[in-house]
Amino acid sequence: MSSVCVEEDEAQWSCIGSASELSQKRCRLMHSSLGYRSDVCLFYVKGQFFAMDARCSHSGGPLCEGDIEEADGALKVFCPWHDYDFDLKTGKSGSSLQQRVYEVKLEDGNVYVKHASQLSLQPFPVDHKP
C-alpha cells in the first residue's frame, strides 16, 4: 500500500505489535503522539492489514466502529455516523471524500505502520504542567 499525503521524510515506521495478536480483531485504534486527530485505525480483513486515519474525513466519525464489507469489488469501511464508505487500500470513497491511508509491513512476525508520528495501542501520557 502507498501513503497518501504523508511526506516520506516525515514518516517513520512504528512497531504496533505481533501479527498473531493483532489479527484477532478486525480493527484496532492506534493512538498518535500528535493527538487524537492523528489517530489511525489498523484493520485486519481477509488476511491483510490496512491502516487509515481513524476519523472520517466527512464529520470525524469513528471508523474503527464502522462496518467492513466488500462492495464494488473492494474492501470498504462504512462510517457509523453517515454511512460514507472508504476503500481500505486507497482511502477513496464513492463520494468525493478521501481518507489518508498508510503503508503497513510485516517483519519478523510484527506489524509496522508508517506514519508522521509515533503510534501506540495505548494512549500517550498527557504532560501536566503545574
Side-chain angles (χ1 to χ4, degrees), residues 41-104:
C41 289
L42 179 68
F43 297 99
Y44 181 75
V45 186
K46 294 193 173 190
Q48 293 184 333
F49 288 98
F50 305 92
M52 74 170 45
D53 281 344
R55 313 265 178 267
C56 177
S57 56
H58 172 243
S59 290
L63 292 181
C64 279
E65 296 174 16
D67 290 330
I68 300 169
E69 300 174 14
E70 194 160 342
D72 303 320
L75 290 171
K76 297 185 178 189
V77 60
F78 289 79
C79 179
W81 286 4
H82 301 109
D83 210 34
Y84 282 96
D85 63 279
F86 299 96
D87 184 308
L88 291 178
K89 287 183 183 177
T90 66
K92 291 182 180 176
S93 175
S95 68
S96 61
L97 296 174
Q98 173 76 41
Q99 278 297 110
R100 201 170 351 186
V101 295
Y102 303 96
E103 287 183 77
V104 179

Short mmCIF file of all heavy atoms in Angstrom, two decimals, residues 41-104:
data_model
loop_
_atom_site.label_atom_id
_atom_site.label_comp_id
_atom_site.label_asym_id
_atom_site.label_seq_id
_atom_site.Cartn_x
_atom_site.Cartn_y
_atom_site.Cartn_z
N CYS A 41 -6.62 3.87 12.37
CA CYS A 41 -7.25 2.55 12.52
C CYS A 41 -6.36 1.53 11.83
O CYS A 41 -5.90 1.75 10.71
CB CYS A 41 -8.61 2.51 11.84
SG CYS A 41 -9.89 3.45 12.64
N LEU A 42 -6.14 0.42 12.51
CA LEU A 42 -5.45 -0.72 11.90
C LEU A 42 -6.51 -1.80 11.70
O LEU A 42 -7.06 -2.33 12.66
CB LEU A 42 -4.33 -1.24 12.80
CG LEU A 42 -3.58 -2.45 12.25
CD1 LEU A 42 -2.77 -2.07 11.01
CD2 LEU A 42 -2.66 -3.04 13.32
N PHE A 43 -6.82 -2.07 10.44
CA PHE A 43 -7.82 -3.08 10.09
C PHE A 43 -7.13 -4.39 9.73
O PHE A 43 -6.05 -4.38 9.13
CB PHE A 43 -8.65 -2.62 8.88
CG PHE A 43 -9.45 -1.38 9.12
CD1 PHE A 43 -8.98 -0.15 8.68
CD2 PHE A 43 -10.66 -1.43 9.77
CE1 PHE A 43 -9.72 1.00 8.88
CE2 PHE A 43 -11.42 -0.29 9.98
CZ PHE A 43 -10.94 0.93 9.54
N TYR A 44 -7.79 -5.51 10.07
CA TYR A 44 -7.33 -6.83 9.63
C TYR A 44 -8.52 -7.51 8.98
O TYR A 44 -9.50 -7.87 9.66
CB TYR A 44 -6.80 -7.66 10.80
CG TYR A 44 -6.29 -9.01 10.35
CD1 TYR A 44 -5.06 -9.11 9.69
CD2 TYR A 44 -7.02 -10.16 10.57
CE1 TYR A 44 -4.59 -10.34 9.26
CE2 TYR A 44 -6.55 -11.39 10.14
CZ TYR A 44 -5.33 -11.47 9.49
OH TYR A 44 -4.86 -12.69 9.06
N VAL A 45 -8.46 -7.64 7.66
CA VAL A 45 -9.58 -8.20 6.90
C VAL A 45 -9.05 -9.15 5.83
O VAL A 45 -8.11 -8.79 5.09
CB VAL A 45 -10.40 -7.08 6.22
CG1 VAL A 45 -11.63 -7.64 5.55
CG2 VAL A 45 -10.78 -5.99 7.21
N LYS A 46 -9.62 -10.33 5.78
CA LYS A 46 -9.27 -11.33 4.76
C LYS A 46 -7.77 -11.57 4.69
O LYS A 46 -7.17 -11.61 3.61
CB LYS A 46 -9.84 -10.95 3.41
CG LYS A 46 -11.36 -10.99 3.38
CD LYS A 46 -11.88 -10.92 1.98
CE LYS A 46 -13.39 -11.14 2.02
NZ LYS A 46 -13.95 -11.33 0.69
N GLY A 47 -7.13 -11.67 5.86
CA GLY A 47 -5.71 -11.99 5.93
C GLY A 47 -4.76 -10.85 5.64
O GLY A 47 -3.56 -11.07 5.50
N GLN A 48 -5.27 -9.61 5.55
CA GLN A 48 -4.41 -8.46 5.26
C GLN A 48 -4.63 -7.35 6.29
O GLN A 48 -5.74 -7.18 6.79
CB GLN A 48 -4.73 -7.88 3.88
CG GLN A 48 -4.37 -8.78 2.73
CD GLN A 48 -4.63 -8.08 1.40
OE1 GLN A 48 -5.47 -7.20 1.29
NE2 GLN A 48 -3.88 -8.47 0.38
N PHE A 49 -3.56 -6.59 6.54
CA PHE A 49 -3.64 -5.41 7.40
C PHE A 49 -3.73 -4.17 6.53
O PHE A 49 -3.08 -4.07 5.48
CB PHE A 49 -2.39 -5.31 8.29
CG PHE A 49 -2.35 -6.33 9.38
CD1 PHE A 49 -1.61 -7.49 9.24
CD2 PHE A 49 -3.06 -6.14 10.56
CE1 PHE A 49 -1.56 -8.43 10.25
CE2 PHE A 49 -3.03 -7.07 11.59
CZ PHE A 49 -2.28 -8.22 11.42
N PHE A 50 -4.54 -3.21 6.98
CA PHE A 50 -4.71 -1.92 6.33
C PHE A 50 -4.69 -0.85 7.41
O PHE A 50 -5.14 -1.08 8.52
CB PHE A 50 -6.06 -1.83 5.60
CG PHE A 50 -6.30 -2.93 4.60
CD1 PHE A 50 -6.94 -4.09 4.98
CD2 PHE A 50 -5.89 -2.80 3.29
CE1 PHE A 50 -7.18 -5.12 4.09
CE2 PHE A 50 -6.12 -3.81 2.38
CZ PHE A 50 -6.77 -4.97 2.77
N ALA A 51 -4.22 0.35 7.07
CA ALA A 51 -4.20 1.45 8.03
C ALA A 51 -4.71 2.72 7.37
O ALA A 51 -4.32 3.03 6.24
CB ALA A 51 -2.79 1.66 8.58
N MET A 52 -5.58 3.44 8.07
CA MET A 52 -6.07 4.74 7.58
C MET A 52 -6.43 5.60 8.77
O MET A 52 -6.55 5.13 9.89
CB MET A 52 -7.26 4.57 6.63
CG MET A 52 -8.56 4.20 7.26
SD MET A 52 -10.03 4.28 6.15
CE MET A 52 -9.51 3.50 4.67
N ASP A 53 -6.57 6.92 8.50
CA ASP A 53 -6.96 7.84 9.56
C ASP A 53 -8.20 7.33 10.26
O ASP A 53 -9.14 6.83 9.63
CB ASP A 53 -7.23 9.24 8.99
CG ASP A 53 -5.96 10.02 8.72
OD1 ASP A 53 -4.89 9.65 9.22
OD2 ASP A 53 -6.05 11.04 8.00
N ALA A 54 -8.22 7.47 11.58
CA ALA A 54 -9.30 6.91 12.39
C ALA A 54 -10.59 7.71 12.34
O ALA A 54 -11.66 7.19 12.61
CB ALA A 54 -8.84 6.77 13.85
N ARG A 55 -10.50 9.00 12.00
CA ARG A 55 -11.68 9.87 11.98
C ARG A 55 -12.12 10.10 10.54
O ARG A 55 -11.31 10.47 9.69
CB ARG A 55 -11.37 11.22 12.63
CG ARG A 55 -10.65 11.11 13.95
CD ARG A 55 -11.56 11.14 15.15
NE ARG A 55 -10.79 10.99 16.38
CZ ARG A 55 -10.55 9.84 17.00
NH1 ARG A 55 -10.99 8.73 16.50
NH2 ARG A 55 -9.88 9.80 18.12
N CYS A 56 -13.39 9.90 10.28
CA CYS A 56 -13.95 10.09 8.94
C CYS A 56 -13.70 11.51 8.45
O CYS A 56 -13.90 12.48 9.20
CB CYS A 56 -15.45 9.79 8.97
SG CYS A 56 -16.28 10.06 7.40
N SER A 57 -13.29 11.64 7.21
CA SER A 57 -13.00 12.96 6.64
C SER A 57 -14.26 13.80 6.43
O SER A 57 -14.16 14.99 6.19
CB SER A 57 -12.22 12.81 5.33
OG SER A 57 -12.94 12.00 4.42
N HIS A 58 -15.43 13.22 6.56
CA HIS A 58 -16.67 13.97 6.42
C HIS A 58 -16.98 14.76 7.68
O HIS A 58 -17.02 15.98 7.66
CB HIS A 58 -17.83 13.02 6.08
CG HIS A 58 -19.17 13.67 6.10
ND1 HIS A 58 -20.15 13.30 6.99
CD2 HIS A 58 -19.69 14.67 5.35
CE1 HIS A 58 -21.22 14.05 6.78
NE2 HIS A 58 -20.98 14.89 5.79
N SER A 59 -17.19 14.06 8.80
CA SER A 59 -17.56 14.75 10.05
C SER A 59 -16.83 14.21 11.28
O SER A 59 -17.24 14.47 12.40
CB SER A 59 -19.07 14.61 10.30
OG SER A 59 -19.80 15.36 9.37
N GLY A 60 -15.78 13.44 11.07
CA GLY A 60 -14.98 12.95 12.20
C GLY A 60 -15.50 11.71 12.87
O GLY A 60 -15.09 11.39 13.99
N GLY A 61 -16.39 10.97 12.23
CA GLY A 61 -16.92 9.74 12.81
C GLY A 61 -15.83 8.71 13.05
O GLY A 61 -14.80 8.69 12.37
N PRO A 62 -16.04 7.82 14.05
CA PRO A 62 -15.04 6.81 14.43
C PRO A 62 -15.05 5.60 13.48
O PRO A 62 -15.88 4.70 13.62
CB PRO A 62 -15.46 6.41 15.84
CG PRO A 62 -16.96 6.61 15.84
CD PRO A 62 -17.22 7.78 14.92
N LEU A 63 -14.13 5.56 12.53
CA LEU A 63 -14.13 4.50 11.53
C LEU A 63 -13.87 3.12 12.12
O LEU A 63 -14.30 2.12 11.56
CB LEU A 63 -13.14 4.80 10.41
CG LEU A 63 -13.53 5.99 9.52
CD1 LEU A 63 -12.48 6.19 8.43
CD2 LEU A 63 -14.91 5.82 8.92
N CYS A 64 -13.19 3.05 13.27
CA CYS A 64 -12.95 1.74 13.90
C CYS A 64 -14.27 1.08 14.32
O CYS A 64 -14.31 -0.13 14.52
CB CYS A 64 -12.02 1.87 15.10
SG CYS A 64 -10.29 1.95 14.66
N GLU A 65 -15.32 1.87 14.45
CA GLU A 65 -16.62 1.33 14.83
C GLU A 65 -17.50 1.04 13.61
O GLU A 65 -18.63 0.59 13.75
CB GLU A 65 -17.34 2.31 15.76
CG GLU A 65 -16.61 2.51 17.07
CD GLU A 65 -17.25 3.59 17.94
OE1 GLU A 65 -18.42 3.97 17.68
OE2 GLU A 65 -16.57 4.06 18.86
N GLY A 66 -16.97 1.30 12.41
CA GLY A 66 -17.75 1.10 11.19
C GLY A 66 -17.77 -0.34 10.73
O GLY A 66 -16.93 -1.16 11.10
N ASP A 67 -18.77 -0.65 9.90
CA ASP A 67 -18.87 -1.98 9.30
C ASP A 67 -17.87 -2.09 8.16
O ASP A 67 -17.58 -1.11 7.46
CB ASP A 67 -20.27 -2.21 8.73
CG ASP A 67 -21.32 -2.36 9.81
OD1 ASP A 67 -20.97 -2.84 10.92
OD2 ASP A 67 -22.48 -2.01 9.56
N ILE A 68 -17.34 -3.30 7.97
CA ILE A 68 -16.42 -3.56 6.88
C ILE A 68 -17.11 -4.56 5.95
O ILE A 68 -17.55 -5.62 6.39
CB ILE A 68 -15.08 -4.12 7.39
CG1 ILE A 68 -14.43 -3.12 8.34
CG2 ILE A 68 -14.16 -4.46 6.22
CD1 ILE A 68 -13.25 -3.67 9.10
N GLU A 69 -17.20 -4.19 4.68
CA GLU A 69 -17.88 -5.03 3.70
C GLU A 69 -17.13 -4.99 2.38
O GLU A 69 -16.38 -4.06 2.11
CB GLU A 69 -19.31 -4.51 3.44
CG GLU A 69 -20.19 -4.48 4.65
CD GLU A 69 -21.53 -3.83 4.36
OE1 GLU A 69 -21.89 -3.65 3.17
OE2 GLU A 69 -22.24 -3.50 5.34
N GLU A 70 -17.40 -6.01 1.56
CA GLU A 70 -16.89 -5.98 0.20
C GLU A 70 -17.97 -5.33 -0.64
O GLU A 70 -19.12 -5.76 -0.64
CB GLU A 70 -16.57 -7.39 -0.30
CG GLU A 70 -15.74 -7.37 -1.53
CD GLU A 70 -15.02 -8.67 -1.78
OE1 GLU A 70 -14.88 -9.48 -0.87
OE2 GLU A 70 -14.59 -8.87 -2.93
N ALA A 71 -17.62 -4.24 -1.33
CA ALA A 71 -18.57 -3.52 -2.16
C ALA A 71 -17.85 -3.03 -3.42
O ALA A 71 -16.73 -2.53 -3.34
CB ALA A 71 -19.14 -2.32 -1.39
N ASP A 72 -18.48 -3.19 -4.55
CA ASP A 72 -17.90 -2.78 -5.83
C ASP A 72 -16.51 -3.39 -6.04
O ASP A 72 -15.61 -2.73 -6.57
CB ASP A 72 -17.83 -1.25 -5.94
CG ASP A 72 -19.19 -0.59 -5.77
OD1 ASP A 72 -20.17 -1.14 -6.29
OD2 ASP A 72 -19.24 0.47 -5.11
N GLY A 73 -16.32 -4.63 -5.59
CA GLY A 73 -15.07 -5.33 -5.79
C GLY A 73 -13.93 -4.90 -4.88
O GLY A 73 -12.79 -5.27 -5.11
N ALA A 74 -14.23 -4.11 -3.84
CA ALA A 74 -13.18 -3.65 -2.93
C ALA A 74 -13.64 -3.79 -1.48
O ALA A 74 -14.84 -3.73 -1.19
CB ALA A 74 -12.85 -2.19 -3.21
N LEU A 75 -12.68 -3.96 -0.58
CA LEU A 75 -13.00 -3.98 0.85
C LEU A 75 -13.16 -2.54 1.31
O LEU A 75 -12.27 -1.71 1.07
CB LEU A 75 -11.88 -4.66 1.63
CG LEU A 75 -11.75 -6.15 1.43
CD1 LEU A 75 -10.48 -6.67 2.08
CD2 LEU A 75 -12.97 -6.87 2.00
N LYS A 76 -14.28 -2.25 1.97
CA LYS A 76 -14.57 -0.88 2.39
C LYS A 76 -15.03 -0.84 3.84
O LYS A 76 -15.66 -1.77 4.32
CB LYS A 76 -15.66 -0.28 1.50
CG LYS A 76 -15.25 -0.18 0.05
CD LYS A 76 -16.29 0.53 -0.77
CE LYS A 76 -15.81 0.64 -2.22
NZ LYS A 76 -16.68 1.50 -3.01
N VAL A 77 -14.70 0.27 4.49
CA VAL A 77 -15.22 0.55 5.83
C VAL A 77 -16.28 1.62 5.66
O VAL A 77 -16.12 2.56 4.88
CB VAL A 77 -14.11 0.99 6.82
CG1 VAL A 77 -13.40 2.25 6.37
CG2 VAL A 77 -14.68 1.14 8.22
N PHE A 78 -17.38 1.45 6.39
CA PHE A 78 -18.51 2.39 6.33
C PHE A 78 -18.57 3.16 7.64
O PHE A 78 -18.65 2.56 8.72
CB PHE A 78 -19.82 1.64 6.09
CG PHE A 78 -19.93 1.08 4.70
CD1 PHE A 78 -19.27 -0.09 4.35
CD2 PHE A 78 -20.67 1.74 3.74
CE1 PHE A 78 -19.36 -0.60 3.07
CE2 PHE A 78 -20.76 1.23 2.44
CZ PHE A 78 -20.11 0.05 2.10
N CYS A 79 -18.53 4.48 7.55
CA CYS A 79 -18.59 5.31 8.75
C CYS A 79 -19.92 5.09 9.47
O CYS A 79 -20.98 5.12 8.84
CB CYS A 79 -18.43 6.79 8.37
SG CYS A 79 -18.51 7.87 9.81
N PRO A 80 -19.88 4.86 10.78
CA PRO A 80 -21.12 4.60 11.52
C PRO A 80 -22.02 5.83 11.67
O PRO A 80 -23.18 5.69 12.00
CB PRO A 80 -20.62 4.11 12.88
CG PRO A 80 -19.26 4.72 13.04
CD PRO A 80 -18.69 4.78 11.64
N TRP A 81 -21.51 7.02 11.41
CA TRP A 81 -22.32 8.23 11.58
C TRP A 81 -23.18 8.53 10.37
O TRP A 81 -24.37 8.80 10.49
CB TRP A 81 -21.44 9.43 11.90
CG TRP A 81 -20.88 9.45 13.29
CD1 TRP A 81 -21.03 8.48 14.26
CD2 TRP A 81 -20.09 10.47 13.87
NE1 TRP A 81 -20.35 8.85 15.39
CE2 TRP A 81 -19.78 10.07 15.19
CE3 TRP A 81 -19.60 11.68 13.40
CZ2 TRP A 81 -19.02 10.86 16.04
CZ3 TRP A 81 -18.85 12.46 14.24
CH2 TRP A 81 -18.56 12.05 15.56
N HIS A 82 -22.60 8.53 9.16
CA HIS A 82 -23.35 8.94 7.97
C HIS A 82 -23.19 7.96 6.81
O HIS A 82 -23.57 8.27 5.68
CB HIS A 82 -22.92 10.34 7.52
CG HIS A 82 -23.13 11.37 8.58
ND1 HIS A 82 -22.10 11.96 9.26
CD2 HIS A 82 -24.27 11.89 9.10
CE1 HIS A 82 -22.59 12.82 10.15
NE2 HIS A 82 -23.90 12.79 10.07
N ASP A 83 -22.62 6.79 7.09
CA ASP A 83 -22.53 5.69 6.12
C ASP A 83 -21.67 5.99 4.89
O ASP A 83 -21.83 5.36 3.86
CB ASP A 83 -23.94 5.25 5.69
CG ASP A 83 -23.98 3.78 5.32
OD1 ASP A 83 -23.24 2.99 5.95
OD2 ASP A 83 -24.73 3.41 4.40
N TYR A 84 -20.73 6.94 5.00
CA TYR A 84 -19.78 7.12 3.90
C TYR A 84 -18.85 5.91 3.88
O TYR A 84 -18.48 5.38 4.94
CB TYR A 84 -18.96 8.40 4.07
CG TYR A 84 -19.72 9.64 3.68
CD1 TYR A 84 -20.37 10.40 4.64
CD2 TYR A 84 -19.80 10.03 2.35
CE1 TYR A 84 -21.09 11.54 4.28
CE2 TYR A 84 -20.50 11.16 1.98
CZ TYR A 84 -21.15 11.91 2.95
OH TYR A 84 -21.85 13.03 2.59
N ASP A 85 -18.49 5.47 2.67
CA ASP A 85 -17.63 4.29 2.55
C ASP A 85 -16.24 4.70 2.07
O ASP A 85 -16.10 5.66 1.32
CB ASP A 85 -18.24 3.29 1.56
CG ASP A 85 -18.33 3.86 0.16
OD1 ASP A 85 -19.29 4.62 -0.13
OD2 ASP A 85 -17.43 3.57 -0.66
N PHE A 86 -15.22 3.95 2.53
CA PHE A 86 -13.84 4.21 2.14
C PHE A 86 -13.14 2.90 1.83
O PHE A 86 -13.19 1.96 2.63
CB PHE A 86 -13.08 4.94 3.26
CG PHE A 86 -13.69 6.28 3.59
CD1 PHE A 86 -14.58 6.41 4.64
CD2 PHE A 86 -13.37 7.40 2.84
CE1 PHE A 86 -15.15 7.63 4.93
CE2 PHE A 86 -13.93 8.63 3.13
CZ PHE A 86 -14.83 8.75 4.18
N ASP A 87 -12.49 2.85 0.68
CA ASP A 87 -11.72 1.70 0.26
C ASP A 87 -10.54 1.54 1.22
O ASP A 87 -9.79 2.50 1.45
CB ASP A 87 -11.23 1.93 -1.17
CG ASP A 87 -10.49 0.75 -1.77
OD1 ASP A 87 -9.54 0.24 -1.13
OD2 ASP A 87 -10.85 0.35 -2.88
N LEU A 88 -10.37 0.36 1.79
CA LEU A 88 -9.30 0.14 2.77
C LEU A 88 -7.90 0.29 2.16
O LEU A 88 -6.96 0.64 2.87
CB LEU A 88 -9.44 -1.23 3.43
CG LEU A 88 -10.64 -1.42 4.35
CD1 LEU A 88 -10.66 -2.85 4.90
CD2 LEU A 88 -10.64 -0.43 5.49
N LYS A 89 -7.75 0.01 0.87
CA LYS A 89 -6.44 0.10 0.23
C LYS A 89 -6.09 1.52 -0.20
O LYS A 89 -4.97 1.96 -0.07
CB LYS A 89 -6.37 -0.81 -1.00
CG LYS A 89 -6.29 -2.27 -0.67
CD LYS A 89 -6.14 -3.09 -1.94
CE LYS A 89 -6.12 -4.57 -1.60
NZ LYS A 89 -6.04 -5.41 -2.81
N THR A 90 -7.08 2.24 -0.75
CA THR A 90 -6.80 3.54 -1.36
C THR A 90 -7.33 4.72 -0.56
O THR A 90 -6.88 5.86 -0.78
CB THR A 90 -7.42 3.63 -2.77
OG1 THR A 90 -8.85 3.59 -2.64
CG2 THR A 90 -6.94 2.49 -3.65
N GLY A 91 -8.30 4.49 0.31
CA GLY A 91 -8.93 5.57 1.06
C GLY A 91 -10.00 6.31 0.27
O GLY A 91 -10.63 7.22 0.79
N LYS A 92 -10.20 5.91 -0.99
CA LYS A 92 -11.19 6.60 -1.83
C LYS A 92 -12.60 6.22 -1.41
O LYS A 92 -12.86 5.10 -0.98
CB LYS A 92 -10.97 6.27 -3.30
CG LYS A 92 -9.69 6.86 -3.84
CD LYS A 92 -9.52 6.57 -5.31
CE LYS A 92 -8.21 7.19 -5.79
NZ LYS A 92 -7.92 6.86 -7.17
N SER A 93 -13.49 7.18 -1.58
CA SER A 93 -14.89 7.00 -1.23
C SER A 93 -15.73 6.98 -2.51
O SER A 93 -15.27 7.45 -3.56
CB SER A 93 -15.35 8.13 -0.32
OG SER A 93 -16.73 8.02 -0.07
N GLY A 94 -16.97 6.50 -2.39
CA GLY A 94 -17.91 6.59 -3.50
C GLY A 94 -18.31 8.03 -3.75
O GLY A 94 -18.84 8.37 -4.79
N SER A 95 -18.05 8.90 -2.78
CA SER A 95 -18.30 10.34 -2.93
C SER A 95 -16.96 10.99 -3.27
O SER A 95 -16.00 10.32 -3.61
CB SER A 95 -18.86 10.91 -1.63
OG SER A 95 -17.86 10.87 -0.63
N SER A 96 -16.86 12.27 -3.12
CA SER A 96 -15.60 12.97 -3.40
C SER A 96 -14.64 12.93 -2.21
O SER A 96 -13.55 13.48 -2.27
CB SER A 96 -15.88 14.42 -3.79
OG SER A 96 -16.51 15.09 -2.72
N LEU A 97 -15.04 12.30 -1.11
CA LEU A 97 -14.20 12.25 0.09
C LEU A 97 -13.01 11.32 -0.11
O LEU A 97 -13.05 10.38 -0.89
CB LEU A 97 -15.02 11.78 1.29
CG LEU A 97 -16.15 12.70 1.72
CD1 LEU A 97 -16.96 12.04 2.83
CD2 LEU A 97 -15.61 14.04 2.18
N GLN A 98 -11.96 11.56 0.66
CA GLN A 98 -10.74 10.76 0.63
C GLN A 98 -10.22 10.61 2.04
O GLN A 98 -10.12 11.58 2.78
CB GLN A 98 -9.68 11.46 -0.24
CG GLN A 98 -8.31 10.82 -0.23
CD GLN A 98 -8.23 9.55 -1.05
OE1 GLN A 98 -8.78 9.48 -2.14
NE2 GLN A 98 -7.54 8.55 -0.54
N GLN A 99 -9.89 9.39 2.44
CA GLN A 99 -9.24 9.11 3.72
C GLN A 99 -7.76 8.91 3.46
O GLN A 99 -7.38 8.28 2.46
CB GLN A 99 -9.78 7.83 4.36
CG GLN A 99 -11.07 7.96 5.12
CD GLN A 99 -10.98 8.87 6.31
OE1 GLN A 99 -11.55 9.95 6.29
NE2 GLN A 99 -10.30 8.47 7.35
N ARG A 100 -6.93 9.37 4.35
CA ARG A 100 -5.50 9.13 4.25
C ARG A 100 -5.23 7.69 4.66
O ARG A 100 -5.73 7.22 5.67
CB ARG A 100 -4.75 10.09 5.17
CG ARG A 100 -3.33 10.28 4.79
CD ARG A 100 -2.66 11.40 5.53
NE ARG A 100 -3.58 12.20 6.33
CZ ARG A 100 -3.25 13.29 6.96
NH1 ARG A 100 -2.02 13.72 6.93
NH2 ARG A 100 -4.13 13.96 7.66
N VAL A 101 -4.45 6.98 3.85
CA VAL A 101 -4.05 5.60 4.16
C VAL A 101 -2.55 5.56 4.38
O VAL A 101 -1.83 6.46 3.93
CB VAL A 101 -4.47 4.61 3.04
CG1 VAL A 101 -5.98 4.53 2.93
CG2 VAL A 101 -3.85 4.97 1.71
N TYR A 102 -2.09 4.53 5.06
CA TYR A 102 -0.68 4.42 5.44
C TYR A 102 -0.14 3.05 5.07
O TYR A 102 -0.87 2.06 5.08
CB TYR A 102 -0.52 4.66 6.95
CG TYR A 102 -1.07 6.00 7.35
CD1 TYR A 102 -2.36 6.12 7.85
CD2 TYR A 102 -0.32 7.16 7.19
CE1 TYR A 102 -2.89 7.35 8.19
CE2 TYR A 102 -0.84 8.40 7.52
CZ TYR A 102 -2.12 8.49 8.02
OH TYR A 102 -2.65 9.72 8.34
N GLU A 103 1.16 3.02 4.80
CA GLU A 103 1.82 1.76 4.49
C GLU A 103 1.85 0.87 5.74
O GLU A 103 2.06 1.36 6.85
CB GLU A 103 3.26 2.01 4.06
CG GLU A 103 3.40 2.59 2.68
CD GLU A 103 4.87 2.74 2.32
OE1 GLU A 103 5.51 1.72 1.98
OE2 GLU A 103 5.36 3.88 2.39
N VAL A 104 1.67 -0.42 5.50
CA VAL A 104 1.76 -1.42 6.56
C VAL A 104 2.74 -2.49 6.09
O VAL A 104 2.70 -2.89 4.92
CB VAL A 104 0.38 -2.08 6.84
CG1 VAL A 104 0.50 -3.14 7.93
CG2 VAL A 104 -0.65 -1.03 7.22
#
